[in-house]
Amino acid sequence: MTASTAHPLLDRAHRLASDLLIPEAERVDREGVPASHIEAVKRSGLLGAGAPVGYGGSGAPPDVVRRIAEILSGACCATWFVQTQHHTPVQTLAQSDLPVRERLLGPLARGELLSGVAYAHLRSYPRVPVRVRREGDGWRFDGTVPWYTGWGLNDVMLLAGATEAGEVLFAFAEARDQPGLRASEPMRLAALTASHTVSLELAGLWLPEEAVALRTPYERWAPGDRARTLNANPAVFGVAEAALCLPDEDTAAPLRARLADVRRRAYALADHPAPLERVAERLAVRAEAYEVLRTATTAAVVAGGGRSMALTSRAQRLAREALFLLVQGQTAETRSAHLRALGGA
């Protein structure tokens, strides 16, 4: 028995999925992720899956963390997406030697607080949507965060910007309207409107030095971020697996075999000790995973017939979630590779 089938966190993930997330998923899709779902995720211990044991986390291995993501995304992609934001702040603090680590890593690892993230805009560098400069004994943030998920559900956020000196700076702030920080109305999206996604306007938000979790040159930060985007997202496999529960077995079986094959190859690459090697292969497997996802969710819609067009249909929800996953975490590099694969290049 492997770690990914034996770990106790997987029992909790399956129970959360079967008892709450799956039965409520269509309602959540229409009405939004409720605070009660977030409280259930906090109680489950899953927010600390990969967090250090010494701070109250579980220190689970990567295969367990990935399988949890598959289970939750396949059950309710909106709830998965809100909670998945939390793991980047946990990882950032686990690698930090700054004072904020001792203040926040424990509460985040134990699920007492839920954190969001606002850093994807750094990928547009040298364009700087969020500017940071020293002000007194702290830092001032100005600009626009185009996407922020979990507004109204998160307790804190990990906010990033770039300085004139070419550094990236990550700092924690309370996830609420405050002087210098204003959220838009929730965005209406084709998929995952339920995730409470907004944009943030920053006009002189001031955060103290002790809120800083990371400050480093962009050139030092960027390779690690690039490595995270090259591999297939576990949610792709979770949503595809859920979709393949809907067609008959004659249809699902060959697609399930394709899914298992690409999943095995994707995770072997993710576990490779040199994360920036075999880049072309990583991008090709990533694109192949999306193709299996598209086929699986299309099969679910076709199997459901006209009923798939109802907003109460699980098949059409999964198909829309698949569209969302096509662009979630996308970079110029992954977009170009995916388009080449679609064009047969």
Side-chain angles (χ1 to χ4, degrees):
M1 183 176 290
T2 65
S4 60
T5 59
H7 201 284
L9 282 180
L10 297 184
D11 290 335
R12 299 183 202 175
H14 280 298
R15 285 199 303 271
L16 181 66
S18 62
D19 295 350
L20 178 64
L21 301 186
I22 293 173
E24 295 288 319
E26 276 66 60
R27 182 182 67 82
V28 166
D29 180 58
R30 296 190 303 273
E31 300 177 10
V33 176
S36 55
H37 271 43
I38 298 306
E39 291 304 314
V41 173
K42 287 180 173 180
R43 291 193 302 271
S44 71
L46 298 177
L47 292 178
V53 173
Y55 286 82
S58 297
D63 63 333
V64 170
V65 173
R66 289 191 295 250
R67 184 57 188 152
I68 291 170
E70 292 177 356
I71 295 166
L72 298 186
S73 60
C76 177
C77 199
T79 301
W80 163 78
F81 191 52
V82 171
Q83 68 81 43
T84 201
Q85 315 297 314
H86 180 88
H87 301 289
T88 294
V90 168
Q91 293 164 5
T92 301
L93 286 174
Q95 297 166 7
S96 177
D97 58 0
L98 297 175
V100 71
R101 171 187 170 116
E102 298 307 314
R103 179 167 65 88
L104 285 180
L105 183 52
L108 293 176
R110 294 189 295 269
E112 296 165 8
L113 297 175
L114 179 72
S115 182
V117 291
Y119 79 93
H121 48 274
L122 291 178
R123 293 171 182 153
S124 65
Y125 192 86
R127 189 169 65 85
V128 182
V130 176
R131 304 173 303 281
V132 185
R133 63 179 174 85
R134 172 69 76 177
E135 187 171 279
D137 57 353
W139 298 89
R140 175 186 171 119
F141 288 75
D142 291 280
T144 300
V145 175
W147 302 90
Y148 179 83
T149 293
W151 188 257
L153 298 173
N154 295 322
D155 302 295
V156 296
M157 72 169 79
L158 182 60
L159 172 64
T163 70
E164 289 185 357
E167 293 180 314
V168 295
L169 187 142
F170 288 69
F172 281 92
E174 292 186 28
R176 60 175 179 80
D177 281 326
Q178 55 188 289
L181 169 60
R182 182 175 61 84
S184 71
E185 291 298 311
M187 297 180 185
R188 291 194 58 79
L189 307 171
L192 273 72
T193 286
S195 64
H196 297 243
T197 296
V198 299
S199 62
L200 302 176
E201 292 299 323
L202 305 169
L205 175 68
W206 185 85
L207 297 176
E209 183 67 40
E210 54 266 28
V212 175
L214 175 67
R215 180 185 171 194
T216 191
Y218 176 84
E219 290 76 14
R220 185 175 299 171
W221 172 81
D225 181 66
R226 180 188 179 216
R228 284 189 291 272
T229 66
L230 295 175
N231 297 307
N233 187 330
V236 170
F237 304 114
V239 172
E241 183 179 13
L244 292 178
C245 293
L246 301 181
D248 60 49
E249 189 58 21
D250 286 345
T251 301
L255 292 175
R256 201 172 285 124
R258 285 177 58 192
L259 181 67
D261 175 63
V262 71
R263 179 183 183 272
R264 174 187 56 77
R265 289 183 282 124
Y267 289 167
L269 288 167
D271 289 335
H272 191 278
L276 290 176
E277 289 184 3
R278 301 167 69 178
V279 169
E281 184 180 359
R282 292 175 192 274
L283 291 172
V285 171
R286 187 179 189 271
E288 188 178 348
Y290 283 129
E291 179 61 18
V292 177
L293 173 64
R294 182 193 64 80
T295 305
T297 53
T298 300
V301 169
V302 172
R307 295 185 303 277
S308 297
M309 293 300 100
L311 290 179
T312 53
S313 162
R314 186 182 183 194
Q316 62 80 28
R317 173 178 59 82
L318 292 168
R320 288 187 291 107
E321 291 169 352
L323 286 176
F324 169 82
L325 291 173
L326 290 177
V327 297
Q328 189 262 326
Q330 186 184 67
T331 66
E333 181 179 28
T334 61
R335 180 188 301 113
S336 296
H338 194 178
L339 289 172
R340 287 195 301 272
L342 290 172

